Structures are given as structure tokens and as C-alpha cells.
Amino acid sequence: DIQNNYLDKFTVYCLINNNQKDEAQLVLDLLIERGFKDKFFEDKINFLLGLTEKTTQKILDNNLLNFYLSHITSNNFEYEPNDKTDQYIWRYLSSANLIQLNDFENEDVILAYEQAAAENSFEKDEIYKIYLRMFFNFNQLINATEVYKNLPNYKARALLYQSVLLSTNIEQKLYLAFLLKDLFIKDKLLNVYFEELSNILKAIDPDEIPESYRELVRQNLDQYSIIIKQIKFDNDILHRSKVLKHFLDNNEEISRTEKDFRTVYKNIKKNKKYFLSIKDIIVLESLRVDGVSLPSDLDFSNISSQLTIPQNLQDLVNQNQTGLLMLKIIEIIGEDDIRDLDTETIYFLNSILNKMNLKKIRNNILSEALPVRI
């Protein structure tokens, strides 16, 4: 019943959003006749229908739809997430650019953001943006290895992270980077730092790494690579090839992707029986959106033109309704494993996310839906 009520409420709002207010009113009246009671929802819908001039400014975050309605009907929307905030609300806040953090002295608030990132509900790179916004004076940065001991854990992480970026001495940079790793481990937040540590280590010229750190660096890079090693790449099939590293690594190196693509494209061109599948089109469209240069003789427009996005979702894209699209995407995926979604669904989800420039969410979906794991 709870699930049905949620979908019924979602239907009412979608009708209003499509300017079908009479139909929305009719559906709501039928729900009420069946015993539906939800004062908050009715208040919001009456306001959106123009039946009332005012609506409660209370923010309800017990589900994503109520939170969304709170947002779009608020005169001055302010919301501070915490460690109990639902992961979907975190994602909505991030995608709708509603994260406004100005209080860097509140340890509980910062820790809530860090924990959300560790649970993959909040973008990890946003944590580092927060760290970089924290102010430390020159002496604190120079003496970071001692100063951090007297700071709250989140500030200690921010100080060490800034110090890592500023350090020009390779040995000192490595010492700080691994010291920072220990702080993340201490608060069970290593998932936040795993990829960033790998990026820091890969940016250092291997020949400049001191002998005493070489084994430690190798071990940490190997740990990060284990995710890639669990994937079986097949360079004879585009959507299973090493080109997928582009999405697994969040498209950091376009030149590497283009090099990988040229290799794979040579393979599939040799196979006269090879035909582009829908999953191949998903990869190609995403690469093109990301600015990857594709061969001039590769024309997939005819196949792409035969694939469609549901009209109601296309309308939301045209209206730039990011929040409502996120609601709809969550409804479509539900509790299912992304790998169980049919190819057509993955296609239109991918197409929507490309159009809305929500590339990290897209990459997460493609990283689950396309690779063959062993």
C-alpha cells in the first residue's frame, strides 16, 4: 500500500507538471474517496493546482517525492543533511546543486558529508572541494605533521590534504599522503580516499619515488587496480572492451580513451560479421558526448535514430527538470540490480543522463551494466 500510494502521488504530480491539472485533481479526488490521507501532500498539491495561495514551509524528508515537493514550493529552501539522510536525497541534493556548506566548524555536519561519500550517496570529489575551502595559515600548512594532531579529525584530513597538494618534495608528499590514509581508516572512511590516493600516487614519476616508498606505493596502486582486474575485457566487442575504462575511471584521460578505441575499432572492422548492438550505441553516444574523437567512417546515426526515449522523460529533459528526472529514474530502477535492467532501459537512462550532463551517475550505471565481471 505504501508503494502504491507513492506511485499514485507521483502520478498526480506528473499530471500537474504536464499541465493536466483537471486530470490531477480528478485522480486526487478518487484517491481521497478510497481513503487516502496525507495532509502534507494534499497541501502541496492544492498549492500547485492554484487552489491555495500559501503552503507549509516545512521540509519533509521521509521520502524523495515529499522532499522534492518541499524544495519546489519553498520560498527560501534550506536543508542540512545528516547521517540519517536517505541516500537518494543525498543524490538529489548533489544533482540539483543544493549543497551549500558554509559552516566548517560543525564537525557533525562535515562528518555527515564524509560518511555519505563513503557510502556512495555523495560525490567523493565534493569532499575534497570542501577540504580546499577550509582556511589554514602558512604556519599550519608548513607544520601540518604536528598541527593535525590537535585538530578535529575532519579538519586534520583537510589540512593534510592541502599539504599533500602543496608539497613539492616527493618524500614529504608521500609521507603526508599515507598519513592522510591513516586518518581516513581511523574513521572508517577509506572508501572516500581510495581513488584520490591512487590519483596522487599515479601523478608521481615512478623514477622519483624514494626506494623506501616504492613497495608501499606499488601495494596501494595494486589494491586500487583490483576493481579493474575483476572485469574481463573483450576487445573484439566494443561494449565489453577496454574502452570501458573511460567510464570506470570517470573519463579522466581522453587521449588514452581515444588510443584504446582505435585499437578496438581495428578489431571490430576486421570482423565482417560484426554489427553494432544497442550496448555499443550506448558506449558510442557517451564517448561522443564526452568529447572523444571517433573515426570519420563510423556512422551509427541510423541505428541511434531508431532508439527512443519515453516522451514523458524527454519532456522533463526539455524542461530541464533535473529533480523530477531523478525521481523518475529512481522509480524505474527501484530496488533492482542495474545489471538486470533490459538494454532498452539502459539506453534511454544513459541518453537522459548524457543530455542532462549527469555524467558521474551515468558512469556508475554503465560501470555496473556493461562489464563482464569474473
Side-chain angles (χ1 to χ4, degrees):
D1 288 343
I2 293 175
Q3 178 69 10
N4 288 337
N5 280 344
Y6 186 89
L7 294 178
D8 287 336
K9 291 193 292 184
F10 191 82
T11 299
V12 172
Y13 176 72
C14 285
L15 288 170
I16 294 174
N17 188 69
N18 291 333
N19 203 30
Q20 296 174 272
K21 293 186 177 181
D22 290 340
E23 291 89 339
Q25 181 69 69
L26 178 60
V27 173
L28 180 59
D29 290 343
L30 290 172
L31 288 174
I32 293 173
E33 285 182 15
R34 283 164 32 196
F36 172 81
K37 291 182 180 180
D38 188 328
K39 290 184 179 180
F40 177 85
F41 181 75
E42 291 177 52
D43 172 71
K44 294 299 177 185
I45 294 303
N46 286 334
F47 176 75
L48 293 171
L49 287 171
L51 301 178
T52 57
E53 294 183 358
K54 295 182 179 180
T55 180
T56 176
Q57 294 300 295
K58 177 183 178 181
I59 297 175
L60 204 58
D61 62 358
N62 60 331
N63 64 53
L64 188 53
L65 179 58
N66 284 341
F67 187 76
Y68 175 74
L69 292 173
S70 300
H71 172 217
I72 64 171
T73 59
S74 173
N75 295 328
N76 184 25
F77 185 79
E78 291 184 3
Y79 179 79
E80 190 172 277
N82 55 52
D83 58 350
K84 295 181 181 179
T85 301
D86 184 83
Q87 61 174 325
Y88 293 123
I89 289 178
W90 274 106
R91 291 172 186 172
Y92 174 75
L93 288 168
S94 182
S95 64
N97 294 318
L98 293 175
I99 300 294
Q100 299 293 333
L101 181 61
N102 297 308
D103 184 5
F104 297 115
E105 300 302 320
N106 191 325
E107 184 172 2
D108 291 337
V109 171
I110 304 297
L111 185 57
Y113 281 81
E114 291 177 318
Q115 288 174 339
E119 295 167 2
N120 299 315
S121 299
F122 185 59
E123 296 293 349
K124 296 178 180 63
D125 59 358
E126 293 296 326
I127 296 299
Y128 297 103
K129 291 178 183 178
I130 291 172
Y131 288 168
L132 292 176
R133 289 172 60 191
M134 294 186 193
F135 175 76
F136 299 102
N137 62 42
F138 180 75
N139 286 331
Q140 287 176 307
L141 291 166
I142 290 295
N143 300 297
T145 54
E146 291 299 323
V147 174
Y148 89 92
K149 298 175 183 177
N150 299 315
L151 295 176
N153 287 357
Y154 78 95
K155 274 195 173 181
R157 285 188 283 272
L159 174 63
L160 290 179
Y161 181 66
Q162 290 189 28
S163 299
V164 168
L165 298 185
L166 290 171
S167 179
T168 56
N169 180 284
I170 300 301
E171 187 167 4
Q172 177 73 355
K173 182 186 286 286
L174 289 168
Y175 176 77
L176 291 167
F178 288 115
L179 183 59
L180 179 54
K181 179 183 178 182
D182 291 339
L183 288 188
F184 276 105
I185 292 174
K186 183 178 180 180
D187 282 346
K188 299 179 180 179
L189 297 169
L190 183 57
N191 188 35
V192 178
Y193 188 51
F194 211 42
E195 184 175 354
E196 185 64 17
L197 174 59
S198 175
N199 292 336
I200 291 169
L201 298 180
K202 286 190 290 187
I204 300 173
D205 185 338
D207 294 334
E208 295 184 9
I209 296 175
E211 182 67 34
S212 58
Y213 276 100
R214 287 184 181 176
E215 180 61 20
L216 185 59
V217 169
R218 185 192 65 76
Q219 289 176 358
N220 278 267
L221 288 176
D222 285 349
Q223 286 175 5
Y224 179 70
S225 298
I226 195 169
I227 298 173
I228 302 298
K229 290 180 180 178
Q230 290 175 340
I231 295 174
K232 182 180 179 181
F233 294 112
D234 183 349
N235 289 332
D236 291 324
I237 301 174
L238 177 57
H239 66 267
R240 293 181 182 174
S241 70
K242 60 184 178 181
V243 172
L244 293 184
K245 292 179 181 179
H246 176 81
F247 308 110
L248 295 167
D249 292 344
N250 283 312
N251 36 279
E252 289 181 352
E253 297 182 29
I254 296 295
S255 59
R256 189 195 72 179
T257 299
E258 291 177 342
K259 181 179 178 181
D260 288 344
F261 187 87
R262 286 193 294 270
T263 301
V264 173
Y265 188 51
K266 286 180 181 178
N267 289 345
I268 63 177
K269 280 189 71 175
K270 291 177 183 177
N271 184 355
K272 302 302 181 182
K273 295 182 179 180
Y274 192 88
F275 64 92
L276 293 176
S277 66
I278 295 178
K279 288 185 177 181
D280 289 340
I281 299 301
I282 289 170
V283 172
L284 290 169
E285 288 188 356
S286 297
L287 292 177
R288 184 172 59 188
V289 166
D290 290 350
V292 175
S293 178
L294 301 177
S296 58
D297 63 338
L298 176 59
D299 183 9
F300 53 93
S301 57
N302 185 48
I303 304 175
S304 290
S305 64
Q306 298 175 38
L307 301 170
T308 59
I309 300 174
Q311 189 57 49
N312 63 326
L313 297 180
Q314 183 61 59
D315 290 341
L316 294 178
V317 171
N318 295 339
Q319 297 164 17
N320 200 32
Q321 289 273 7
T322 302
L324 192 52
L325 270 170
M326 289 298 295
L327 281 171
K328 197 65 179 174
I329 288 172
I330 290 168
E331 178 196 352
I332 291 168
I333 297 176
E335 299 298 324
D336 294 338
D337 189 320
I338 290 175
R339 281 172 282 187
D340 293 334
L341 295 175
D342 62 84
T343 305
E344 288 76 11
T345 299
I346 296 171
Y347 172 80
F348 73 68
L349 288 176
N350 184 74
S351 184
I352 289 168
L353 294 169
N354 277 332
K355 291 175 185 292
M356 298 300 291
N357 200 33
L358 298 173
K359 294 181 181 179
K360 290 206 169 182
I361 298 175
R362 177 206 68 188
N363 290 350
N364 288 338
I365 290 177
L366 295 187
S367 296
E368 287 296 318
L370 298 181
V372 174
R373 299 181 184 272
I374 56 175

